[in-house]
Amino acid sequence: MAGSTDDVNEFFSLPGESSIPLDILGELQSIMRLHSISAQELFYKWESYSMKMGSEETKLDLRTVRAFRKDIQELLERETRGKAHVRSADKRGVHATPRAAANNGDAYGMLDGLTPNTPRLATANGASKRKAAFETPAFPKVSKSHPKSSPTDGRLGGIETKGPNNGAVSIPFVDRQNAGQIIETLNGHLDPCEPLMAPPAESRVKLTANTDLKKFFYKPLAMHLSEASEVLDDRIDEFMSFVQVHHNLEDSAFSNPASKSTSEIIAVGRIASDTPESKLNIASLVLETSRRTGAGLRVPLKVDALSSQEFFPGQIVALRGINASGDYFSAREVLDIPLLPPAASLPSTLDVINERVGYADSGDATPTSSPLNVIVSSGPYTADDNLDFEPLHTLCAKTSETYADALILIGPLFDIEHPLLAIGDFDLPDDPSIEPDKATLTDAFRIMVAGPLRRLAQAVPSITIILVPSVRDAVNKHVSWPQEPFGKKELGLPKQARTVSNPVTISLNEIVIGISAQDILYDLRREEVVVGKPKENNMLARLPRHVIQQRHFFPLFPPVNRKHLPKVATEEGLATGMPLDISYLKLGEWLNVRPDVLILPSALTPFAKVVESVLVVNPGTTSKKRAAGTYAQFSVYPKKVTDHEHAAESTMVGHNVFERVRVDIVRI
């Protein structure tokens, strides 16, 4: 018990104190005994609970600890019910009788090919295909002309990379050009934050998760068609209510666009293509209705009367038009979809935040004040020809030198599309904690990625490190989007690290930040159809506007076929793409407000732009396939609260982050 008491005090005691109150200690030890967990694991759970509830409001007292205990118990009960449901489903299927093949072959194909003169049955569901599913994946092809034909010795020198850059020469990271060069700046009239003389005594950042992270721990690959169709229908019906309230319309104004009518109506539906296997174009446009408003029918869409409009698959639109012939719906006007309100806070809340950052209550600078320094980067974090993670080491060194307040790392951190990881044949750094013959990808991550983060946390104890996973991360068991957070304990991440879901909406102090690791901008650029003259000529401003107007991190449906994405240097050459779990599509929606900052990493040109009062940033990739990449640095100035706003204490004050943040896109 003594050892347990010491461990609990070590993790939960406040700075300057050696122990916690005995009643709180007893509750925590009771939780540990009940769930058979260590003090460290309990502390990780407490961190997750504090971030969900808001770390400033969650104090370590008896009432909060009992609420924490109840939260753990509820989570355990939900997991137990889910496992019981799976077991009951398995039992129901135990005695299922296999159906014979359509060509009178044996049920499981066990006799195929056993008789010498009997041809093997070529059934679509034959044993040969089932057998292939369990075979060990083949290694990528190795060039015979290369003197080193072994994948172990030759590494990537002999691999026939099927990507578009095959044959290109990699530039060593140490020989990169223009390191530290700023290639784009937003709000250049603001001064960049200067490095502090020493790290702050305590964190100047209060991190709150505005997303319910528990909902992302769902079981992937368990999608039901009925659930998926209901989710898609509900989205159309919700947008219909938004349009009706915004434009003050009667119920009678809406009708089924697939029905023949001589009256003009308003139709709300989803843009789709009548030829799913090909790219959307003006001739293939169809409008898909919900089951409630149009029986789920699709009607061809004529948009000749529209002078300027952009469409993409999955877009929810409200159209005014007529279907006089019953053959197609002719759209005359596209009604605006109302935007979510901007984020806002009470003046008293902004005063507290300004004081934490080191500014006066009004937001005026003091002799010791300095703007927040936030660094944002996106994976991959190493070039295709090595696993040295030199860009990540350089990024951590830059963060340490400037004593940054927060570092946001967006996946993929351990990219499954990396050629060496795809092969599974690479050398681990010398580390006494693992056995090379028994090492896993988790062990490799703990050394190669978590190691630099732990050293950064030691150098800057006040820093907040935020990790956002990607569907391309090899160490995240969640294979579909939306995606659960990284496992903090098994990956050896430091105490200052916070793992969040993909996508996620968080608050850094008062600033609401939306982040999605999926490259929605690239996919929208490929699928977008412009009718007439575009409303916005700048593509990098037009694409984020679609995301903002649709109130969703991934409004495109269906996702782009993997075959149409850029090739990667793996055996198949196919990108991971977007493994979308439609049943949980709602987890990607924006619920209450527009984010102040929207971070959308993309293969497109890095940029920072203001779109619909939202600061949209694409930091670029930290490492390109064969060269160094870029990252984004934010200099965040405080929100100045006027005397008039202080007088109206109950009135919310808009954050207007796009006016007071300097963003630099910097070469690593």
Side-chain angles (χ1 to χ4, degrees):
M1 178 62 71
S4 176
T5 301
D6 294 340
D7 292 341
V8 174
N9 285 324
E10 178 184 356
F11 283 99
F12 287 87
S13 60
L14 297 175
E17 299 181 4
S18 59
S19 62
I20 59 177
L22 292 179
D23 54 349
I24 299 176
L25 176 65
E27 285 288 339
L28 294 176
Q29 289 178 332
S30 175
I31 297 174
M32 293 168 57
R33 289 193 300 270
L34 181 63
H35 299 284
S36 300
I37 57 177
S38 64
Q40 183 180 28
E41 187 173 354
L42 181 65
F43 179 72
Y44 288 152
K45 292 181 180 293
W46 168 255
E47 275 192 319
S48 177
Y49 177 76
S50 299
M51 190 170 68
K52 180 186 71 173
M53 304 302 294
S55 56
E56 283 294 308
E57 291 75 20
T58 309
K59 304 296 183 182
L60 189 65
D61 54 32
L62 188 59
R63 182 181 60 85
T64 308
V65 170
R66 286 175 176 171
F68 171 50
R69 178 188 187 128
K70 183 178 179 182
D71 184 82
I72 294 179
Q73 186 65 32
E74 290 175 351
L75 179 61
L76 179 63
E77 290 174 357
R78 280 195 296 271
E79 292 177 350
T80 304
R81 287 196 297 268
K83 293 178 180 178
H85 175 73
V86 172
R87 286 196 298 269
S88 62
D90 291 341
K91 289 179 180 179
R92 285 195 298 269
V94 167
H95 303 291
T97 303
R99 295 183 180 273
N103 56 3
N104 298 325
D106 61 301
Y108 294 107
M110 291 184 293
L111 302 180
D112 290 353
L114 293 181
T115 306
N117 297 325
T118 303
R120 183 176 296 274
L121 297 175
T123 60
N125 298 317
S128 58
K129 290 195 174 183
R130 279 191 294 270
K131 179 181 178 182
F134 296 94
E135 290 178 349
T136 303
F139 283 105
K141 296 179 181 178
V142 179
S143 173
K144 295 182 180 179
S145 60
H146 197 279
K148 298 177 179 179
S149 61
S150 168
T152 303
D153 297 330
R155 295 295 184 217
L156 291 176
I159 294 179
E160 296 177 356
T161 56
K162 302 182 181 181
N165 296 324
N166 188 22
V169 178
S170 298
I171 301 174
F173 185 77
V174 294
D175 296 335
R176 66 193 187 281
Q177 302 294 319
N178 304 318
Q181 178 188 14
I182 298 176
I183 61 176
E184 183 175 342
T185 297
L186 179 70
N187 291 333
H189 61 281
L190 299 175
D191 294 330
C193 51
E194 296 294 334
L196 301 175
M197 298 300 295
E202 59 182 14
S203 176
R204 301 197 298 166
V205 169
K206 172 191 172 184
L207 174 64
T208 306
N210 299 336
T211 301
D212 189 354
L213 300 181
K214 289 182 181 178
K215 294 182 179 180
F216 288 81
F217 290 88
Y218 63 89
K219 181 181 179 181
L221 302 178
M223 180 172 55
H224 300 285
L225 291 179
S226 58
E227 294 177 0
S229 62
E230 289 173 3
V231 169
L232 296 175
D233 277 355
D234 289 346
R235 182 163 168 79
I236 296 176
D237 294 338
E238 287 174 0
F239 270 72
M240 179 181 292
S241 63
F242 299 154
V243 171
Q244 183 175 6
V245 173
H246 180 70
H247 294 278
N248 195 23
L249 299 170
E250 299 292 337
D251 291 341
S252 58
F254 299 90
S255 186
N256 181 5
S259 300
K260 181 177 180 180
S261 174
T262 56
S263 302
E264 192 174 67
I265 65 166
I266 295 175
V268 179
R270 177 180 291 104
I271 295 297
S273 173
D274 63 358
T275 53
E277 64 277 0
S278 61
K279 188 178 182 296
L280 183 71
N281 57 65
I282 295 178
S284 64
L285 283 172
V286 296
L287 185 68
E288 178 182 288
T289 62
S290 69
R291 285 175 289 186
R292 186 172 72 86
T293 58
L297 296 175
R298 287 184 171 187
V299 57
L301 194 59
K302 299 295 182 182
V303 294
D304 301 337
L306 302 179
S307 59
S308 176
Q309 186 62 37
E310 301 92 24
F311 296 106
F312 60 87
Q315 180 184 16
I316 308 297
V317 294
L319 305 174
R320 190 190 302 273
I322 190 172
N323 185 351
S325 64
D327 296 328
Y328 60 87
F329 184 79
S330 180
R332 180 179 65 83
E333 179 188 1
V334 180
L335 277 66
D336 292 333
I337 302 292
L339 299 176
L340 284 168
S345 300
L346 291 171
S348 58
T349 303
L350 295 175
D351 289 343
V352 173
I353 292 172
N354 289 339
E355 184 179 355
R356 179 189 299 113
V357 178
Y359 285 78
D361 290 350
S362 61
D364 295 328
T366 64
T368 59
S369 61
S370 174
L372 282 179
N373 181 8
V374 180
I375 293 178
V376 180
S377 64
S378 174
Y381 291 90
T382 188
D384 269 6
D385 59 351
N386 66 77
L387 286 173
D388 296 333
F389 287 91
E390 293 170 297
L392 177 63
H393 286 268
T394 302
L395 185 70
C396 290
K398 172 69 176 178
T399 306
S400 176
E401 292 169 4
T402 58
Y403 297 119
D405 295 285
L407 172 63
I408 301 178
L409 298 175
I410 306 172
L413 281 87
F414 220 50
D415 192 0
I416 200 170
E417 292 182 2
H418 191 287
L420 290 175
L421 288 178
I423 295 173
D425 175 55
F426 53 89
D427 294 330
L428 287 172
D430 293 333
D431 191 283
S433 64
I434 62 171
E435 300 180 33
D437 294 340
K438 299 180 180 180
T440 64
L441 288 178
T442 301
D443 296 323
F445 182 98
R446 191 166 60 247
I447 299 172
M448 298 178 177
V449 178
L453 300 182
R454 289 193 297 268
R455 290 188 288 273
L456 171 62
Q458 292 175 355
V460 189
S462 61
I463 194 172
T464 299
I465 305 173
I466 303 169
L467 290 89
V468 184
S470 163
V471 293
R472 288 165 49 185
D473 270 301
V475 293
N476 192 298
K477 64 181 180 181
H478 222 107
V479 297
S480 57
W481 191 98
Q483 189 178 19
E484 69 177 29
F486 286 116
K488 184 176 178 180
K489 179 181 178 182
E490 58 266 27
L491 296 180
L493 296 171
K495 178 181 177 180
Q496 291 86 339
R498 302 290 187 270
T499 59
V500 296
S501 59
N502 172 32
V504 70
T505 303
I506 60 175
S507 290
L508 287 182
N509 294 340
E510 83 282 7
I511 302 174
V512 180
I513 303 177
I515 308 173
S516 176
Q518 198 64 29
D519 192 351
I520 180 61
L521 299 181
Y522 181 91
D523 292 350
L524 283 175
R525 185 192 68 166
R526 186 188 182 281
E527 296 296 326
E528 183 190 40
V529 172
V530 178
V531 178
K533 184 179 179 181
K535 295 179 180 179
E536 172 62 62
N537 291 324
N538 189 326
M539 179 191 65
L540 296 180
R542 188 173 70 245
L543 297 179
R545 181 171 282 107
H546 294 322
V547 179
I548 297 170
Q549 290 176 340
Q550 294 291 300
R551 309 179 177 198
H552 202 282
F553 284 106
F554 198 89
L556 184 69
F557 182 81
V560 178
N561 192 314
R562 297 171 61 196
K563 297 179 181 178
H564 300 152
L565 294 173
K567 301 296 183 183
V568 297
T570 59
E571 182 191 10
E572 294 181 347
L574 290 177
T576 304
M578 177 56 163
L580 179 64
D581 197 316
I582 305 173
S583 299
Y584 295 90
L585 192 65
K586 199 171 183 63
L587 293 178
E589 289 184 354
W590 301 355
L591 300 179
N592 300 316
V593 297
R594 271 176 285 165
D596 295 311
V597 179
L598 181 59
I599 302 175
L600 298 175
S602 174
L604 302 181
T605 304
F607 67 86
K609 296 186 180 297
V610 178
V611 182
E612 301 290 359
S613 300
V614 177
L615 175 56
V616 184
V617 178
N618 168 23
T621 58
T622 308
S623 176
K624 300 178 182 179
K625 292 182 180 297
R626 292 172 173 80
T630 58
Y631 66 92
Q633 183 166 13
F634 290 61
S635 302
V636 184
Y637 286 81
K639 169 62 180 176
K640 294 187 177 182
V641 185
T642 64
D643 293 338
H644 175 73
E645 290 169 338
H646 274 124
E649 177 61 30
S650 60
T651 303
M652 303 290 280
V653 178
H655 296 161
N656 296 337
V657 171
F658 60 91
E659 297 177 346
R660 56 187 177 93
V661 174
R662 174 187 172 117
V663 182
D664 294 315
I665 306 296
V666 188
R667 296 187 188 276
I668 188 72

